[in-house]
Amino acid sequence: MRIFDPHIHMTSRTTDDYERMAEAGVRAVVEPAFWLGQPRTNPGSFADYFDSLVGWEPFRAAQFGIRHHATIALNPKEANDPRCRPVLDLIPRYLDKDSVVAVGEIGYDAMTPEEDEAFAVQLALAVEYELPALVHTPHRDKAQGVKRTLDVVRESGIPPGRVLVDHLNEVTVGDVRDTGCWMGFSIYPDTKMSPPRMVEILRSHGLDRMLVNSAADWGRSDPLLTRRTGEAMLAAGFSDDDVDRVLWRNPVAFYSLSGRLDLSDTGDTGPLFEGSSILRGGS
Ligand SMILES: [Zn+2]
């Protein structure tokens, strides 16, 4: 089983995690910029963090044979802090870097006017830099948050096929599916989505534009839940090819929209492999 984790915060994980992930079949990851748990007090602290996402962390991952790319953004939570907002001026510099494959995580946390503005500004940056966008949806008031997210995406003019709306569940998947955006699901040990619930969603909504991630961060999380979801799919009667599509080809197809995804070390022959209905426009 080859696995591409499209959303994982490796900065909060140990080398033991990298080792276990490599053993489980994880060959590539995307690490979105996010909130570090403790408030940052000035833009310089973001610059150091972004530098580690495009420098140190890819180096650390490579030691375990894992390809590492990043997404860069001012996250929604810190968009509310006036001390952090000047970060928006730093972001273009990072969007030029080769290993940056999307603008993200952007979107809503508490759905404030400040978040509205940062979200719109960064969607415009995604259009300008011809990058896809990774959109976080709020964990509280999720149904309403997703509806408002989809409105803002529509107004921004970015093509829905270049947007991944993440942290979805049974309640929100349908709305996103209808828009043509990609759908992300974060699988957690004991809250939110679990492998069996994910399998049910794949059964009822199909495999097109579906991405599964572990979102592993500082909270209780497990970087092997992508693998566990693949195993749960097989146990439920999905084929090896179905698992490969969800855990590898779909994330590869999405981040390939950046034109920058480099998987040369992972055994993948490139984004335009046979059998990917996604890239042909999909059934
Ligand atoms: Zn995240």
Side-chain angles (χ1 to χ4, degrees), residues 172-210:
T172 49
V173 57
D175 283 343
V176 179
R177 186 167 179 255
D178 293 343
T179 62
C181 293
W182 295 70
M183 294 155 277
F185 298 84
S186 302
I187 316 298
Y188 293 94
D190 47 20
T191 53
K192 306 161 193 154
M193 290 300 299
S194 65
R197 282 171 60 194
M198 190 64 228
V199 168
E200 282 313 310
I201 286 180
L202 293 170
R203 261 209 192 108
S204 32
H205 295 273
L207 309 184
D208 263 9
R209 290 180 276 123
M210 292 287 200

PDB file of all heavy atoms in Angstrom, residues 172-210:
ATOM      1  N   THR A 172     -21.342  17.380   5.932  1.00  0.00           N
ATOM      2  CA  THR A 172     -20.881  18.439   5.030  1.00  0.00           C
ATOM      3  C   THR A 172     -20.405  17.939   3.665  1.00  0.00           C
ATOM      4  O   THR A 172     -20.251  18.735   2.741  1.00  0.00           O
ATOM      5  CB  THR A 172     -19.729  19.226   5.699  1.00  0.00           C
ATOM      6  OG1 THR A 172     -18.760  18.294   6.200  1.00  0.00           O
ATOM      7  CG2 THR A 172     -20.254  20.058   6.853  1.00  0.00           C
ATOM      8  N   VAL A 173     -20.190  16.631   3.528  1.00  0.00           N
ATOM      9  CA  VAL A 173     -19.600  16.116   2.287  1.00  0.00           C
ATOM     10  C   VAL A 173     -20.469  16.413   1.066  1.00  0.00           C
ATOM     11  O   VAL A 173     -19.958  16.789   0.002  1.00  0.00           O
ATOM     12  CB  VAL A 173     -19.283  14.593   2.404  1.00  0.00           C
ATOM     13  CG1 VAL A 173     -20.502  13.771   2.762  1.00  0.00           C
ATOM     14  CG2 VAL A 173     -18.637  14.061   1.140  1.00  0.00           C
ATOM     15  N   GLY A 174     -21.769  16.291   1.194  1.00  0.00           N
ATOM     16  CA  GLY A 174     -22.666  16.451   0.046  1.00  0.00           C
ATOM     17  C   GLY A 174     -22.587  17.835  -0.574  1.00  0.00           C
ATOM     18  O   GLY A 174     -22.475  17.977  -1.802  1.00  0.00           O
ATOM     19  N   ASP A 175     -22.611  18.867   0.275  1.00  0.00           N
ATOM     20  CA  ASP A 175     -22.558  20.248  -0.229  1.00  0.00           C
ATOM     21  C   ASP A 175     -21.281  20.486  -1.033  1.00  0.00           C
ATOM     22  O   ASP A 175     -21.291  21.149  -2.067  1.00  0.00           O
ATOM     23  CB  ASP A 175     -22.578  21.251   0.946  1.00  0.00           C
ATOM     24  CG  ASP A 175     -23.978  21.402   1.525  1.00  0.00           C
ATOM     25  OD1 ASP A 175     -24.946  21.004   0.843  1.00  0.00           O
ATOM     26  OD2 ASP A 175     -24.094  21.907   2.657  1.00  0.00           O
ATOM     27  N   VAL A 176     -20.158  19.968  -0.519  1.00  0.00           N
ATOM     28  CA  VAL A 176     -18.877  20.213  -1.179  1.00  0.00           C
ATOM     29  C   VAL A 176     -18.792  19.415  -2.483  1.00  0.00           C
ATOM     30  O   VAL A 176     -18.323  19.919  -3.513  1.00  0.00           O
ATOM     31  CB  VAL A 176     -17.697  19.857  -0.238  1.00  0.00           C
ATOM     32  CG1 VAL A 176     -16.369  20.096  -0.937  1.00  0.00           C
ATOM     33  CG2 VAL A 176     -17.788  20.677   1.040  1.00  0.00           C
ATOM     34  N   ARG A 177     -19.287  18.209  -2.452  1.00  0.00           N
ATOM     35  CA  ARG A 177     -19.248  17.357  -3.642  1.00  0.00           C
ATOM     36  C   ARG A 177     -19.957  18.040  -4.810  1.00  0.00           C
ATOM     37  O   ARG A 177     -19.469  18.040  -5.938  1.00  0.00           O
ATOM     38  CB  ARG A 177     -19.920  16.029  -3.307  1.00  0.00           C
ATOM     39  CG  ARG A 177     -19.817  15.002  -4.402  1.00  0.00           C
ATOM     40  CD  ARG A 177     -20.207  13.627  -3.872  1.00  0.00           C
ATOM     41  NE  ARG A 177     -20.136  12.648  -4.935  1.00  0.00           N
ATOM     42  CZ  ARG A 177     -21.221  12.134  -5.538  1.00  0.00           C
ATOM     43  NH1 ARG A 177     -22.432  12.518  -5.179  1.00  0.00           N
ATOM     44  NH2 ARG A 177     -21.066  11.241  -6.486  1.00  0.00           N
ATOM     45  N   ASP A 178     -21.100  18.643  -4.532  1.00  0.00           N
ATOM     46  CA  ASP A 178     -21.886  19.278  -5.587  1.00  0.00           C
ATOM     47  C   ASP A 178     -21.174  20.465  -6.237  1.00  0.00           C
ATOM     48  O   ASP A 178     -21.493  20.846  -7.357  1.00  0.00           O
ATOM     49  CB  ASP A 178     -23.239  19.757  -5.028  1.00  0.00           C
ATOM     50  CG  ASP A 178     -24.117  18.580  -4.613  1.00  0.00           C
ATOM     51  OD1 ASP A 178     -23.822  17.453  -5.050  1.00  0.00           O
ATOM     52  OD2 ASP A 178     -25.071  18.801  -3.835  1.00  0.00           O
ATOM     53  N   THR A 179     -20.217  21.076  -5.528  1.00  0.00           N
ATOM     54  CA  THR A 179     -19.548  22.265  -6.084  1.00  0.00           C
ATOM     55  C   THR A 179     -18.419  21.914  -7.044  1.00  0.00           C
ATOM     56  O   THR A 179     -17.966  22.767  -7.797  1.00  0.00           O
ATOM     57  CB  THR A 179     -18.883  23.104  -4.972  1.00  0.00           C
ATOM     58  OG1 THR A 179     -17.883  22.298  -4.342  1.00  0.00           O
ATOM     59  CG2 THR A 179     -19.892  23.580  -3.962  1.00  0.00           C
ATOM     60  N   GLY A 180     -17.912  20.674  -6.984  1.00  0.00           N
ATOM     61  CA  GLY A 180     -16.753  20.314  -7.809  1.00  0.00           C
ATOM     62  C   GLY A 180     -15.433  20.495  -7.082  1.00  0.00           C
ATOM     63  O   GLY A 180     -14.375  20.202  -7.637  1.00  0.00           O
ATOM     64  N   CYS A 181     -15.456  20.989  -5.843  1.00  0.00           N
ATOM     65  CA  CYS A 181     -14.217  21.073  -5.053  1.00  0.00           C
ATOM     66  C   CYS A 181     -13.781  19.661  -4.642  1.00  0.00           C
ATOM     67  O   CYS A 181     -14.581  18.726  -4.612  1.00  0.00           O
ATOM     68  CB  CYS A 181     -14.444  21.883  -3.778  1.00  0.00           C
ATOM     69  SG  CYS A 181     -14.784  23.640  -4.040  1.00  0.00           S
ATOM     70  N   TRP A 182     -12.503  19.518  -4.281  1.00  0.00           N
ATOM     71  CA  TRP A 182     -11.987  18.273  -3.729  1.00  0.00           C
ATOM     72  C   TRP A 182     -12.400  18.183  -2.261  1.00  0.00           C
ATOM     73  O   TRP A 182     -12.591  19.218  -1.607  1.00  0.00           O
ATOM     74  CB  TRP A 182     -10.465  18.227  -3.856  1.00  0.00           C
ATOM     75  CG  TRP A 182      -9.999  18.202  -5.277  1.00  0.00           C
ATOM     76  CD1 TRP A 182     -10.066  19.232  -6.178  1.00  0.00           C
ATOM     77  CD2 TRP A 182      -9.395  17.101  -5.973  1.00  0.00           C
ATOM     78  NE1 TRP A 182      -9.536  18.832  -7.382  1.00  0.00           N
ATOM     79  CE2 TRP A 182      -9.115  17.544  -7.286  1.00  0.00           C
ATOM     80  CE3 TRP A 182      -9.059  15.797  -5.617  1.00  0.00           C
ATOM     81  CZ2 TRP A 182      -8.518  16.722  -8.250  1.00  0.00           C
ATOM     82  CZ3 TRP A 182      -8.456  14.976  -6.567  1.00  0.00           C
ATOM     83  CH2 TRP A 182      -8.198  15.432  -7.864  1.00  0.00           C
ATOM     84  N   MET A 183     -12.520  16.949  -1.757  1.00  0.00           N
ATOM     85  CA  MET A 183     -13.019  16.743  -0.398  1.00  0.00           C
ATOM     86  C   MET A 183     -11.968  16.056   0.478  1.00  0.00           C
ATOM     87  O   MET A 183     -11.503  14.972   0.129  1.00  0.00           O
ATOM     88  CB  MET A 183     -14.279  15.876  -0.447  1.00  0.00           C
ATOM     89  CG  MET A 183     -15.439  16.577  -1.139  1.00  0.00           C
ATOM     90  SD  MET A 183     -16.624  15.400  -1.838  1.00  0.00           S
ATOM     91  CE  MET A 183     -15.829  15.018  -3.414  1.00  0.00           C
ATOM     92  N   GLY A 184     -11.617  16.692   1.603  1.00  0.00           N
ATOM     93  CA  GLY A 184     -10.630  16.123   2.520  1.00  0.00           C
ATOM     94  C   GLY A 184     -11.290  15.663   3.816  1.00  0.00           C
ATOM     95  O   GLY A 184     -12.224  16.301   4.306  1.00  0.00           O
ATOM     96  N   PHE A 185     -10.767  14.564   4.352  1.00  0.00           N
ATOM     97  CA  PHE A 185     -11.296  14.012   5.608  1.00  0.00           C
ATOM     98  C   PHE A 185     -10.131  13.728   6.542  1.00  0.00           C
ATOM     99  O   PHE A 185      -9.197  13.010   6.176  1.00  0.00           O
ATOM    100  CB  PHE A 185     -12.076  12.722   5.341  1.00  0.00           C
ATOM    101  CG  PHE A 185     -13.272  12.929   4.458  1.00  0.00           C
ATOM    102  CD1 PHE A 185     -13.126  12.939   3.075  1.00  0.00           C
ATOM    103  CD2 PHE A 185     -14.523  13.166   5.000  1.00  0.00           C
ATOM    104  CE1 PHE A 185     -14.218  13.173   2.249  1.00  0.00           C
ATOM    105  CE2 PHE A 185     -15.622  13.401   4.180  1.00  0.00           C
ATOM    106  CZ  PHE A 185     -15.467  13.393   2.802  1.00  0.00           C
ATOM    107  N   SER A 186     -10.182  14.275   7.737  1.00  0.00           N
ATOM    108  CA  SER A 186      -9.139  14.040   8.731  1.00  0.00           C
ATOM    109  C   SER A 186      -9.617  12.933   9.659  1.00  0.00           C
ATOM    110  O   SER A 186     -10.662  13.071  10.301  1.00  0.00           O
ATOM    111  CB  SER A 186      -8.876  15.319   9.531  1.00  0.00           C
ATOM    112  OG  SER A 186      -8.495  16.352   8.641  1.00  0.00           O
ATOM    113  N   ILE A 187      -8.820  11.870   9.735  1.00  0.00           N
ATOM    114  CA  ILE A 187      -9.202  10.722  10.551  1.00  0.00           C
ATOM    115  C   ILE A 187      -8.477  10.818  11.899  1.00  0.00           C
ATOM    116  O   ILE A 187      -7.246  10.926  11.926  1.00  0.00           O
ATOM    117  CB  ILE A 187      -8.827   9.390   9.849  1.00  0.00           C
ATOM    118  CG1 ILE A 187      -9.203   9.438   8.348  1.00  0.00           C
ATOM    119  CG2 ILE A 187      -9.485   8.209  10.540  1.00  0.00           C
ATOM    120  CD1 ILE A 187     -10.668   9.603   8.051  1.00  0.00           C
ATOM    121  N   TYR A 188      -9.245  10.793  12.968  1.00  0.00           N
ATOM    122  CA  TYR A 188      -8.690  10.976  14.312  1.00  0.00           C
ATOM    123  C   TYR A 188      -8.920   9.722  15.168  1.00  0.00           C
ATOM    124  O   TYR A 188      -9.842   8.951  14.901  1.00  0.00           O
ATOM    125  CB  TYR A 188      -9.347  12.164  15.003  1.00  0.00           C
ATOM    126  CG  TYR A 188      -9.021  13.492  14.381  1.00  0.00           C
ATOM    127  CD1 TYR A 188      -9.861  14.056  13.430  1.00  0.00           C
ATOM    128  CD2 TYR A 188      -7.870  14.198  14.740  1.00  0.00           C
ATOM    129  CE1 TYR A 188      -9.561  15.288  12.852  1.00  0.00           C
ATOM    130  CE2 TYR A 188      -7.575  15.417  14.166  1.00  0.00           C
ATOM    131  CZ  TYR A 188      -8.420  15.961  13.227  1.00  0.00           C
ATOM    132  OH  TYR A 188      -8.125  17.166  12.661  1.00  0.00           O
ATOM    133  N   PRO A 189      -8.118   9.545  16.224  1.00  0.00           N
ATOM    134  CA  PRO A 189      -8.257   8.362  17.079  1.00  0.00           C
ATOM    135  C   PRO A 189      -9.610   8.273  17.780  1.00  0.00           C
ATOM    136  O   PRO A 189     -10.208   7.210  17.831  1.00  0.00           O
ATOM    137  CB  PRO A 189      -7.138   8.500  18.110  1.00  0.00           C
ATOM    138  CG  PRO A 189      -6.167   9.450  17.531  1.00  0.00           C
ATOM    139  CD  PRO A 189      -6.947  10.359  16.620  1.00  0.00           C
ATOM    140  N   ASP A 190     -10.106   9.374  18.340  1.00  0.00           N
ATOM    141  CA  ASP A 190     -11.360   9.211  19.084  1.00  0.00           C
ATOM    142  C   ASP A 190     -12.347  10.357  18.960  1.00  0.00           C
ATOM    143  O   ASP A 190     -13.367  10.374  19.612  1.00  0.00           O
ATOM    144  CB  ASP A 190     -11.085   8.900  20.561  1.00  0.00           C
ATOM    145  CG  ASP A 190     -10.049   9.824  21.166  1.00  0.00           C
ATOM    146  OD1 ASP A 190      -9.827  10.915  20.604  1.00  0.00           O
ATOM    147  OD2 ASP A 190      -9.448   9.470  22.167  1.00  0.00           O
ATOM    148  N   THR A 191     -12.038  11.325  18.112  1.00  0.00           N
ATOM    149  CA  THR A 191     -13.024  12.377  17.871  1.00  0.00           C
ATOM    150  C   THR A 191     -13.230  12.474  16.374  1.00  0.00           C
ATOM    151  O   THR A 191     -12.472  11.917  15.596  1.00  0.00           O
ATOM    152  CB  THR A 191     -12.523  13.745  18.372  1.00  0.00           C
ATOM    153  OG1 THR A 191     -11.236  13.976  17.791  1.00  0.00           O
ATOM    154  CG2 THR A 191     -12.447  13.789  19.876  1.00  0.00           C
ATOM    155  N   LYS A 192     -14.211  13.195  15.945  1.00  0.00           N
ATOM    156  CA  LYS A 192     -14.436  13.471  14.519  1.00  0.00           C
ATOM    157  C   LYS A 192     -14.500  12.182  13.707  1.00  0.00           C
ATOM    158  O   LYS A 192     -15.140  11.233  14.105  1.00  0.00           O
ATOM    159  CB  LYS A 192     -13.388  14.460  14.006  1.00  0.00           C
ATOM    160  CG  LYS A 192     -13.344  15.737  14.848  1.00  0.00           C
ATOM    161  CD  LYS A 192     -12.059  16.503  14.671  1.00  0.00           C
ATOM    162  CE  LYS A 192     -11.914  17.569  15.744  1.00  0.00           C
ATOM    163  NZ  LYS A 192     -10.553  17.932  16.020  1.00  0.00           N
ATOM    164  N   MET A 193     -13.764  12.137  12.567  1.00  0.00           N
ATOM    165  CA  MET A 193     -13.895  10.981  11.662  1.00  0.00           C
ATOM    166  C   MET A 193     -13.066   9.776  12.121  1.00  0.00           C
ATOM    167  O   MET A 193     -11.960   9.932  12.606  1.00  0.00           O
ATOM    168  CB  MET A 193     -13.400  11.379  10.267  1.00  0.00           C
ATOM    169  CG  MET A 193     -14.302  12.355   9.545  1.00  0.00           C
ATOM    170  SD  MET A 193     -15.968  11.700   9.305  1.00  0.00           S
ATOM    171  CE  MET A 193     -15.603  10.257   8.317  1.00  0.00           C
ATOM    172  N   SER A 194     -13.593   8.553  11.893  1.00  0.00           N
ATOM    173  CA  SER A 194     -12.853   7.324  12.183  1.00  0.00           C
ATOM    174  C   SER A 194     -12.757   6.516  10.877  1.00  0.00           C
ATOM    175  O   SER A 194     -13.503   6.777   9.933  1.00  0.00           O
ATOM    176  CB  SER A 194     -13.617   6.497  13.214  1.00  0.00           C
ATOM    177  OG  SER A 194     -14.860   6.079  12.650  1.00  0.00           O
ATOM    178  N   PRO A 195     -11.854   5.499  10.800  1.00  0.00           N
ATOM    179  CA  PRO A 195     -11.783   4.693   9.568  1.00  0.00           C
ATOM    180  C   PRO A 195     -13.129   4.070   9.162  1.00  0.00           C
ATOM    181  O   PRO A 195     -13.500   4.172   7.986  1.00  0.00           O
ATOM    182  CB  PRO A 195     -10.709   3.640   9.897  1.00  0.00           C
ATOM    183  CG  PRO A 195      -9.803   4.345  10.863  1.00  0.00           C
ATOM    184  CD  PRO A 195     -10.729   5.187  11.721  1.00  0.00           C
ATOM    185  N   PRO A 196     -13.901   3.451  10.086  1.00  0.00           N
ATOM    186  CA  PRO A 196     -15.184   2.875   9.631  1.00  0.00           C
ATOM    187  C   PRO A 196     -16.155   3.923   9.079  1.00  0.00           C
ATOM    188  O   PRO A 196     -16.835   3.678   8.083  1.00  0.00           O
ATOM    189  CB  PRO A 196     -15.756   2.239  10.909  1.00  0.00           C
ATOM    190  CG  PRO A 196     -14.606   2.071  11.836  1.00  0.00           C
ATOM    191  CD  PRO A 196     -13.622   3.139  11.499  1.00  0.00           C
ATOM    192  N   ARG A 197     -16.203   5.093   9.705  1.00  0.00           N
ATOM    193  CA  ARG A 197     -17.101   6.146   9.177  1.00  0.00           C
ATOM    194  C   ARG A 197     -16.626   6.611   7.809  1.00  0.00           C
ATOM    195  O   ARG A 197     -17.428   6.902   6.913  1.00  0.00           O
ATOM    196  CB  ARG A 197     -17.145   7.326  10.153  1.00  0.00           C
ATOM    197  CG  ARG A 197     -18.045   7.054  11.357  1.00  0.00           C
ATOM    198  CD  ARG A 197     -17.914   8.127  12.413  1.00  0.00           C
ATOM    199  NE  ARG A 197     -18.261   9.454  11.924  1.00  0.00           N
ATOM    200  CZ  ARG A 197     -17.975  10.587  12.575  1.00  0.00           C
ATOM    201  NH1 ARG A 197     -17.334  10.539  13.735  1.00  0.00           N
ATOM    202  NH2 ARG A 197     -18.320  11.756  12.072  1.00  0.00           N
ATOM    203  N   MET A 198     -15.309   6.668   7.625  1.00  0.00           N
ATOM    204  CA  MET A 198     -14.765   7.077   6.325  1.00  0.00           C
ATOM    205  C   MET A 198     -15.156   6.085   5.236  1.00  0.00           C
ATOM    206  O   MET A 198     -15.518   6.468   4.122  1.00  0.00           O
ATOM    207  CB  MET A 198     -13.228   7.185   6.442  1.00  0.00           C
ATOM    208  CG  MET A 198     -12.585   7.822   5.221  1.00  0.00           C
ATOM    209  SD  MET A 198     -13.127   9.539   5.008  1.00  0.00           S
ATOM    210  CE  MET A 198     -13.545   9.556   3.264  1.00  0.00           C
ATOM    211  N   VAL A 199     -15.083   4.805   5.568  1.00  0.00           N
ATOM    212  CA  VAL A 199     -15.454   3.770   4.592  1.00  0.00           C
ATOM    213  C   VAL A 199     -16.916   3.952   4.169  1.00  0.00           C
ATOM    214  O   VAL A 199     -17.248   3.854   2.987  1.00  0.00           O
ATOM    215  CB  VAL A 199     -15.217   2.362   5.192  1.00  0.00           C
ATOM    216  CG1 VAL A 199     -15.867   1.287   4.331  1.00  0.00           C
ATOM    217  CG2 VAL A 199     -13.719   2.094   5.337  1.00  0.00           C
ATOM    218  N   GLU A 200     -17.784   4.256   5.122  1.00  0.00           N
ATOM    219  CA  GLU A 200     -19.202   4.469   4.787  1.00  0.00           C
ATOM    220  C   GLU A 200     -19.378   5.663   3.850  1.00  0.00           C
ATOM    221  O   GLU A 200     -20.192   5.634   2.927  1.00  0.00           O
ATOM    222  CB  GLU A 200     -20.038   4.677   6.068  1.00  0.00           C
ATOM    223  CG  GLU A 200     -20.347   3.391   6.807  1.00  0.00           C
ATOM    224  CD  GLU A 200     -20.849   2.276   5.880  1.00  0.00           C
ATOM    225  OE1 GLU A 200     -21.783   2.526   5.084  1.00  0.00           O
ATOM    226  OE2 GLU A 200     -20.275   1.165   5.916  1.00  0.00           O
ATOM    227  N   ILE A 201     -18.623   6.719   4.096  1.00  0.00           N
ATOM    228  CA  ILE A 201     -18.715   7.907   3.224  1.00  0.00           C
ATOM    229  C   ILE A 201     -18.259   7.559   1.804  1.00  0.00           C
ATOM    230  O   ILE A 201     -18.891   7.954   0.821  1.00  0.00           O
ATOM    231  CB  ILE A 201     -17.880   9.074   3.803  1.00  0.00           C
ATOM    232  CG1 ILE A 201     -18.614   9.661   5.014  1.00  0.00           C
ATOM    233  CG2 ILE A 201     -17.641  10.156   2.747  1.00  0.00           C
ATOM    234  CD1 ILE A 201     -17.913  10.819   5.684  1.00  0.00           C
ATOM    235  N   LEU A 202     -17.181   6.776   1.697  1.00  0.00           N
ATOM    236  CA  LEU A 202     -16.695   6.385   0.360  1.00  0.00           C
ATOM    237  C   LEU A 202     -17.726   5.500  -0.338  1.00  0.00           C
ATOM    238  O   LEU A 202     -17.904   5.577  -1.553  1.00  0.00           O
ATOM    239  CB  LEU A 202     -15.349   5.661   0.480  1.00  0.00           C
ATOM    240  CG  LEU A 202     -14.186   6.543   0.965  1.00  0.00           C
ATOM    241  CD1 LEU A 202     -12.960   5.686   1.289  1.00  0.00           C
ATOM    242  CD2 LEU A 202     -13.824   7.613  -0.065  1.00  0.00           C
ATOM    243  N   ARG A 203     -18.397   4.652   0.451  1.00  0.00           N
ATOM    244  CA  ARG A 203     -19.452   3.802  -0.119  1.00  0.00           C
ATOM    245  C   ARG A 203     -20.582   4.641  -0.690  1.00  0.00           C
ATOM    246  O   ARG A 203     -21.070   4.403  -1.767  1.00  0.00           O
ATOM    247  CB  ARG A 203     -20.030   2.920   0.991  1.00  0.00           C
ATOM    248  CG  ARG A 203     -19.475   1.545   1.010  1.00  0.00           C
ATOM    249  CD  ARG A 203     -20.512   0.569   1.564  1.00  0.00           C
ATOM    250  NE  ARG A 203     -19.885  -0.702   1.845  1.00  0.00           N
ATOM    251  CZ  ARG A 203     -19.643  -1.156   3.064  1.00  0.00           C
ATOM    252  NH1 ARG A 203     -20.017  -0.475   4.131  1.00  0.00           N
ATOM    253  NH2 ARG A 203     -19.047  -2.325   3.215  1.00  0.00           N
ATOM    254  N   SER A 204     -20.988   5.651   0.064  1.00  0.00           N
ATOM    255  CA  SER A 204     -22.168   6.390  -0.415  1.00  0.00           C
ATOM    256  C   SER A 204     -21.836   7.529  -1.372  1.00  0.00           C
ATOM    257  O   SER A 204     -22.689   7.924  -2.154  1.00  0.00           O
ATOM    258  CB  SER A 204     -23.027   6.897   0.753  1.00  0.00           C
ATOM    259  OG  SER A 204     -22.255   7.195   1.860  1.00  0.00           O
ATOM    260  N   HIS A 205     -20.599   8.059  -1.351  1.00  0.00           N
ATOM    261  CA  HIS A 205     -20.291   9.206  -2.213  1.00  0.00           C
ATOM    262  C   HIS A 205     -19.268   8.905  -3.300  1.00  0.00           C
ATOM    263  O   HIS A 205     -18.951   9.781  -4.098  1.00  0.00           O
ATOM    264  CB  HIS A 205     -19.816  10.388  -1.372  1.00  0.00           C
ATOM    265  CG  HIS A 205     -20.871  10.934  -0.461  1.00  0.00           C
ATOM    266  ND1 HIS A 205     -21.779  11.891  -0.859  1.00  0.00           N
ATOM    267  CD2 HIS A 205     -21.190  10.621   0.813  1.00  0.00           C
ATOM    268  CE1 HIS A 205     -22.606  12.159   0.150  1.00  0.00           C
ATOM    269  NE2 HIS A 205     -22.268  11.399   1.177  1.00  0.00           N
ATOM    270  N   GLY A 206     -18.725   7.685  -3.335  1.00  0.00           N
ATOM    271  CA  GLY A 206     -17.761   7.346  -4.379  1.00  0.00           C
ATOM    272  C   GLY A 206     -16.351   7.821  -4.042  1.00  0.00           C
ATOM    273  O   GLY A 206     -16.107   8.381  -2.968  1.00  0.00           O
ATOM    274  N   LEU A 207     -15.417   7.611  -4.968  1.00  0.00           N
ATOM    275  CA  LEU A 207     -14.000   7.864  -4.701  1.00  0.00           C
ATOM    276  C   LEU A 207     -13.468   9.119  -5.397  1.00  0.00           C
ATOM    277  O   LEU A 207     -12.340   9.534  -5.155  1.00  0.00           O
ATOM    278  CB  LEU A 207     -13.156   6.660  -5.150  1.00  0.00           C
ATOM    279  CG  LEU A 207     -13.599   5.279  -4.650  1.00  0.00           C
ATOM    280  CD1 LEU A 207     -12.601   4.218  -5.109  1.00  0.00           C
ATOM    281  CD2 LEU A 207     -13.743   5.250  -3.135  1.00  0.00           C
ATOM    282  N   ASP A 208     -14.275   9.703  -6.271  1.00  0.00           N
ATOM    283  CA  ASP A 208     -13.824  10.882  -7.014  1.00  0.00           C
ATOM    284  C   ASP A 208     -13.519  12.051  -6.089  1.00  0.00           C
ATOM    285  O   ASP A 208     -14.358  12.414  -5.259  1.00  0.00           O
ATOM    286  CB  ASP A 208     -14.939  11.354  -7.960  1.00  0.00           C
ATOM    287  CG  ASP A 208     -14.740  10.827  -9.356  1.00  0.00           C
ATOM    288  OD1 ASP A 208     -13.849   9.978  -9.545  1.00  0.00           O
ATOM    289  OD2 ASP A 208     -15.486  11.265 -10.249  1.00  0.00           O
ATOM    290  N   ARG A 209     -12.371  12.657  -6.260  1.00  0.00           N
ATOM    291  CA  ARG A 209     -11.986  13.888  -5.532  1.00  0.00           C
ATOM    292  C   ARG A 209     -11.956  13.695  -4.024  1.00  0.00           C
ATOM    293  O   ARG A 209     -12.061  14.655  -3.267  1.00  0.00           O
ATOM    294  CB  ARG A 209     -12.949  15.042  -5.891  1.00  0.00           C
ATOM    295  CG  ARG A 209     -12.796  15.548  -7.314  1.00  0.00           C
ATOM    296  CD  ARG A 209     -13.762  16.693  -7.617  1.00  0.00           C
ATOM    297  NE  ARG A 209     -15.067  16.220  -7.998  1.00  0.00           N
ATOM    298  CZ  ARG A 209     -16.204  16.547  -7.386  1.00  0.00           C
ATOM    299  NH1 ARG A 209     -16.194  17.369  -6.351  1.00  0.00           N
ATOM    300  NH2 ARG A 209     -17.350  16.061  -7.802  1.00  0.00           N
ATOM    301  N   MET A 210     -11.809  12.428  -3.560  1.00  0.00           N
ATOM    302  CA  MET A 210     -11.806  12.139  -2.123  1.00  0.00           C
ATOM    303  C   MET A 210     -10.369  11.988  -1.620  1.00  0.00           C
ATOM    304  O   MET A 210      -9.588  11.212  -2.189  1.00  0.00           O
ATOM    305  CB  MET A 210     -12.535  10.826  -1.855  1.00  0.00           C
ATOM    306  CG  MET A 210     -14.017  10.903  -2.126  1.00  0.00           C
ATOM    307  SD  MET A 210     -14.803  11.884  -0.823  1.00  0.00           S
ATOM    308  CE  MET A 210     -16.493  11.327  -1.004  1.00  0.00           C
TER     309      MET A 210
END
